[in-house]
Amino acid sequence: MLGLPSIPAFCLRPRDLRRGAVLTVAFLTAVGAGAYTGCWDREEGATAAAALAGAPAAEPPREAGTADREAVARAVAEAVAEGKSGKKAAQEVVSRSGDRWGTVYDQGEYAAFTEGLDGHWTGVGVWAGRAADGMIKVDKVQPGSPAARAGLRAGDRLLSVDGHAVTGLAVTAVVALLRGDAGTPVVLNLSRDGADLTETVRREQLRTEPVTVRQRPDGVTVIKVVSFTRGSGDRVKAAVRAAPPGEGVVLDLRGNPGGLVTEAVTAASAFLDGGLVATYDVRGDQRVLYAAEGGDTTRPVVALVDGGTMSAAELVTGALQDRGRAVAVGSRTFGKGSVQMPTELPDGSVAELTVGTYRTPAGRSLDGAGITPDVPAGTEVEERAVTVLGGLGVGP
């Protein structure tokens, strides 16, 4: 955030950068909070990948439209030898390659990148992304955060951070400007309805509850998953087990930018008894993700989605939709299904480079296409979901 992320990608991540690479879903850039990603838990990643995919992923040859990691490493080594910025050199190579989702972190940014995997970060409390005009925009503001207290609003355009213009910068570059220690001030220059304004806010340690559960008076359980951070999959499973017998569940994934792939698979497992969740390929080498056995396969489910449903959240939706376990209600999802692999560079920075794609159980590639809901809905989406559950034999 200036809090949680808005720009996703799918990537392969290692247990650490000196051990074999494994799958992650959704590189999620958290503007100002530090970044958090959808990926394998670094403590469990290598083991999980081997179990699910059959073997740890190897570094693939470069594809068209992606950066060559050897070229990136050479550029960094040359820049460092000349006393220049290795990160900047890497960014230039990635940019020239046409790798849309490729990105580069310095050591501090990469450490911050992993911080949000526990659902906490240092920032001011704003979800931000890139608007159609190329400007950085505020998507939403976390209630009670420094940004909320300063009066920031969804729709504000971010012009500069501490005097550094951000228009045209990669979102990861904006992250670097917004990050800092808790208690330190950051000056934000913004545009709102054509007028410029300046706010000075202080960064704080922030956190969010990734899963919330509420019971409607009609007996329907609504499970809202904000992001797939550590522990969220088990919370979804617990919520499904605790739901009243015979009643339906609304799984609300609207605005969910993704998260840890292990958590996404666990969440999908709440409604499946084993079987395929997704496949992914690394340069033509296909691998698979399976659900755990023992999930609830009879309770009717509706998944709520919108344009903010991204990456790992799309993986869950696609699996439940393809396997007949959920009716998707809402609007078309974001559409992010490419795979990245991290490479540690000579100066200690980290480059995320695109290497492949993933597909739903029915073989659909969601990259650029997203998921089309079974029942389109623009307003009163939750009520439409309850109506759908009624048609499935539950609810009022």
Side-chain angles (χ1 to χ4, degrees):
M1 294 180 174
L2 302 176
L4 284 179
S6 287
I7 303 296
F10 285 82
C11 52
L12 292 176
R13 180 164 312 286
R15 183 172 182 176
D16 62 41
L17 291 174
R18 291 163 299 282
R19 300 181 185 179
V22 299
L23 178 69
T24 66
V25 175
F27 157 93
L28 299 168
T29 300
V31 177
Y36 92 79
T37 180
C39 61
W40 289 114
D41 184 311
R42 289 184 301 161
E43 297 302 317
E44 302 172 353
T47 301
L52 292 171
E59 172 66 17
R62 182 168 64 96
E63 297 181 346
T66 67
D68 180 350
R69 76 167 187 166
E70 299 299 335
V72 174
R74 283 196 304 271
V76 171
E78 291 171 1
V80 171
E82 296 172 3
K84 299 178 181 178
S85 168
K87 177 186 173 184
K88 183 176 180 180
Q91 288 173 325
E92 290 174 353
V93 174
V94 172
S95 178
R96 289 196 303 268
S97 74
D99 189 338
R100 181 183 179 191
W101 300 108
T103 191
V104 182
Y105 296 99
D106 63 29
Q107 290 177 325
E109 291 165 358
Y110 194 75
F113 174 87
T114 63
E115 180 184 25
L117 294 174
D118 289 317
H120 62 79
W121 56 90
T122 302
V124 299
V126 173
W127 282 261
R130 187 171 302 284
D133 58 8
M135 298 183 70
I136 300 296
K137 66 184 177 72
V138 174
D139 286 334
K140 62 179 178 177
V141 179
Q142 183 179 1
S145 67
R149 296 194 295 271
L152 272 67
R153 305 175 189 171
D156 287 347
R157 295 298 204 264
L158 183 61
L159 304 178
S160 69
V161 178
D162 284 337
H164 299 278
V166 299
T167 300
L169 291 183
V171 179
T172 49
V174 180
V175 171
L177 294 174
L178 287 162
R179 271 200 49 75
D181 296 329
T184 58
V186 56
V187 180
L188 308 178
N189 179 234
L190 306 113
S191 175
R192 179 185 299 161
D193 300 326
D196 289 354
L197 63 153
T198 300
E199 297 290 347
T200 300
V201 294
R202 290 188 177 274
R203 302 173 177 97
E204 292 181 1
Q205 281 288 325
L206 301 171
R207 65 180 306 114
T208 188
E209 180 58 53
V211 179
T212 57
V213 183
R214 59 186 172 85
Q215 198 78 36
R216 290 172 51 99
D218 53 29
V220 173
T221 298
V222 180
I223 304 172
K224 171 68 174 177
V225 187
V226 175
S227 58
F228 288 107
T229 51
R230 288 191 183 103
S232 57
D234 283 335
R235 294 185 189 187
V236 171
K237 294 181 78 171
V240 172
R241 289 193 297 266
E247 297 292 348
V249 164
V250 173
L251 181 65
D252 190 349
L253 299 175
R254 291 174 296 172
N256 183 322
L260 287 158
V261 67
T262 47
E263 300 297 339
V265 172
T266 299
S269 299
F271 307 100
L272 301 170
D273 186 15
L276 190 61
V277 172
T279 63
Y280 66 99
D281 68 87
V282 177
R283 197 52 178 162
D285 181 12
Q286 183 166 284
R287 297 141 195 254
V288 294
L289 299 171
Y290 290 115
E293 297 180 350
D296 188 329
T297 61
T298 60
R299 186 188 302 275
V301 183
V302 167
L304 299 186
V305 297
D306 64 9
T309 305
M310 305 177 182
S311 37
E314 291 177 290
L315 183 151
V316 173
T317 305
L320 298 182
Q321 189 184 47
D322 281 4
R323 296 192 52 190
R325 281 301 294 124
V327 176
V329 174
S331 53
R332 186 185 296 273
T333 63
F334 182 83
K336 185 67 190 75
S338 64
V339 177
Q340 277 75 47
M341 180 179 289
T343 297
E344 186 172 15
L345 301 173
D347 65 344
S349 58
V350 178
E352 298 268 2
L353 308 177
T354 301
V355 297
T357 58
Y358 88 100
R359 294 179 180 275
T360 68
R364 292 183 292 164
S365 173
L366 305 181
D367 200 34
I371 292 174
T372 300
D374 301 295
V375 180
T379 60
E380 299 183 347
V381 179
E382 186 175 308
E383 294 306 317
R384 178 67 63 87
V386 172
T387 299
V388 170
L389 286 174
L392 297 173
V394 298

